[in-house]
């Protein structure tokens, strides 16, 4: 039941928000709940192995970033949403190597298409959400992205999306 609620995690820098999000991803996945993560800092790739690094962890697909399984096309946000909806496997979208403007354009398209297409339960962990879900968008890209984030936050449950904003 906890996973079927919208969640927001607040805390200061270094307080453990991202660590909490990774544990939530692990626990939800082990309970059979599909998880995806939006990662702006390259923090989630370690989910693929155990804490001691000796065995495999979660079979998540890492899209983009330094530890990618699949390269990320900076103009392919909508297409990646189509892929993850069909894939039905844990995933991480690692945008660390993109500039803020490119991240906003990518995520606007990704969130819009994910909202349109997803209908199965998905816990969507949105780390560093203040970067793309800001209440004071300063560019057209930021404004479009905010609209897409708001749809997921307010109406995502109807589409099977249970967001966790970190």
């Amino acid at each position: 039941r906890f996973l079927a609620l919208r969640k927001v995690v607040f805390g200061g820098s270094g307080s453990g928000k991202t660590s909490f999000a990774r544990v939530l991803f692990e626990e939800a996945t082990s309970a059979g709940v599909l998880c995806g993560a939006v990662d702006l800092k390259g923090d989630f790739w370690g989910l693929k192995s155990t804490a001691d690094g000796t065995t495999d962890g979660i079979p998540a697909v890492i899209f983009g970033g330094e530890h990618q399984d699949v390269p990320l096309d900076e103009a392919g946000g909508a297409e990646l949403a189509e892929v993850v909806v069909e894939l039905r496997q844990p995933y991480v979208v690692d945008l660390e190597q993109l500039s803020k403007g490119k991240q906003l354009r990518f995520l606007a398209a990704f969130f819009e298409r994910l909202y349109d297409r997803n209908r199965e339960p998905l816990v969507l962990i949105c780390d560093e959400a203040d970067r793309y879900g800001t209440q004071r968008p300063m560019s057209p890209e930021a404004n479009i992205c905010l609209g897409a984030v708001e749809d997921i936050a307010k109406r995502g449950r109807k589409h099977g999306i249970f967001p966790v904003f970190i």
Side-chain angles (χ1 to χ4, degrees):
R1 181 80 178 123
F2 171 76
L3 293 173
L5 302 171
R6 296 178 201 107
K7 292 160 276 312
V8 178
V9 178
F10 292 101
S13 180
S15 64
K17 300 177 302 294
T18 300
S19 294
F20 168 77
R22 286 192 310 257
V23 169
L24 181 62
F25 193 111
E26 291 169 341
E27 293 296 321
T29 301
S30 70
V33 178
L34 180 63
C35 286
V38 173
D39 181 7
L40 301 188
K41 300 182 310 182
D43 289 335
F44 282 77
W45 65 270
L47 292 169
K48 293 185 71 149
S49 69
T50 57
D52 63 9
T54 60
T55 58
D56 290 340
I58 297 169
V61 179
I62 309 295
F63 295 97
E66 188 175 330
H67 303 279
Q68 65 186 305
D69 296 311
V70 180
L72 196 66
D73 175 2
E74 67 183 52
E79 292 78 12
L80 183 57
E82 293 281 349
V83 168
V84 299
V85 165
E86 295 299 320
L87 185 64
R88 302 305 301 164
Q89 181 173 340
Y91 65 89
V92 175
V93 179
D94 185 334
L95 301 173
E96 181 181 26
Q97 296 176 334
L98 298 182
S99 68
K100 184 176 182 179
K102 290 176 182 176
Q103 288 175 350
L104 290 172
R105 285 188 291 279
F106 182 93
L107 287 173
F110 178 79
F111 288 140
E112 283 180 343
R113 184 67 59 87
L114 187 67
Y115 178 81
D116 288 344
R117 297 276 293 122
N118 191 78
R119 293 300 181 270
E120 299 295 324
L122 167 67
V123 172
L124 181 63
I125 296 173
C126 301
D127 201 19
E128 304 295 329
D130 60 300
R131 291 279 306 268
Y132 48 88
T134 180
Q135 295 300 299
R136 293 191 181 153
M138 302 298 277
S139 68
E141 294 92 357
N143 201 32
I144 293 167
C145 194
L146 174 60
V149 169
E150 285 179 340
D151 283 344
I152 285 176
K154 293 178 181 179
R155 293 169 200 83
R157 184 175 63 91
K158 184 175 181 181
H159 296 250
I161 304 169
F162 305 101
V164 181
F165 295 104
I166 310 292

